[in-house]
Amino acid sequence: MFGLGASIYREYGFISKDIRRFARSMKKAGEPVVVPLSPEPWAIIRECYANCAEMCKRQGGEVIYGWHVYAIPRVFLEAEAHAVWKKPTGELVDVTPNDVETPTIAFIPDASCTWVEGVSRPIPNRYYPLSR
């Protein structure tokens, strides 16, 4: 999403019917949720797995794996492997800085979307068509 043409993408700060359908099409995915953005000043852009692991070390909680969902309107939804931090209170927060202009993201939890530095292969994005 952050490469050339990123401006044609639309960020979702809500869960649409299409996002719910997309989540149902993924075998191990949970219910989509809206997650507030609250980037940590020390966090590294595009390093969500490491940032969330660091938050757990600093403040407890756990890493929640899944998919950040955005779209090219009327064309397709795109899901990028992502991780958010689950506070000890249970609230989900996206602590990773990025160029999203909304205060929230659409997120589909999926425990199969884990990443281990130096071991895991890149996780390909997933797509859901919005038109023929």
Side-chain angles (χ1 to χ4, degrees), residues 17-118:
K17 287 187 230 177
D18 289 320
I19 292 173
R20 289 188 195 288
R21 287 186 196 114
F22 192 11
R24 283 193 299 268
S25 75
M26 296 181 196
K27 292 180 181 166
K28 297 181 181 181
E31 281 295 311
V33 294
V34 172
V35 177
L37 291 170
S38 185
E40 289 294 320
W42 50 261
I44 302 166
I45 193 165
R46 310 277 302 148
E47 294 293 333
C48 58
Y49 295 100
N51 294 336
C52 289
E54 181 62 25
M55 281 302 294
C56 291
K57 286 180 191 173
R58 290 177 181 221
Q59 296 186 27
E62 66 182 290
V63 179
I64 302 298
Y65 302 100
W67 304 94
H68 172 189
V69 180
Y70 44 89
I72 292 182
R74 296 185 302 275
V75 179
F76 61 77
L77 293 174
E78 185 169 354
E80 180 177 45
H82 194 57
V84 298
W85 177 52
K86 184 176 182 180
K87 292 180 174 184
T89 61
E91 179 187 2
L92 298 181
V93 179
D94 189 352
V95 297
T96 301
N98 59 42
D99 60 359
V100 172
E101 295 179 9
T102 62
T104 59
I105 64 164
F107 182 77
I108 300 173
D110 184 345
S112 70
C113 213
T114 60
W115 174 265
V116 179
E117 184 67 40

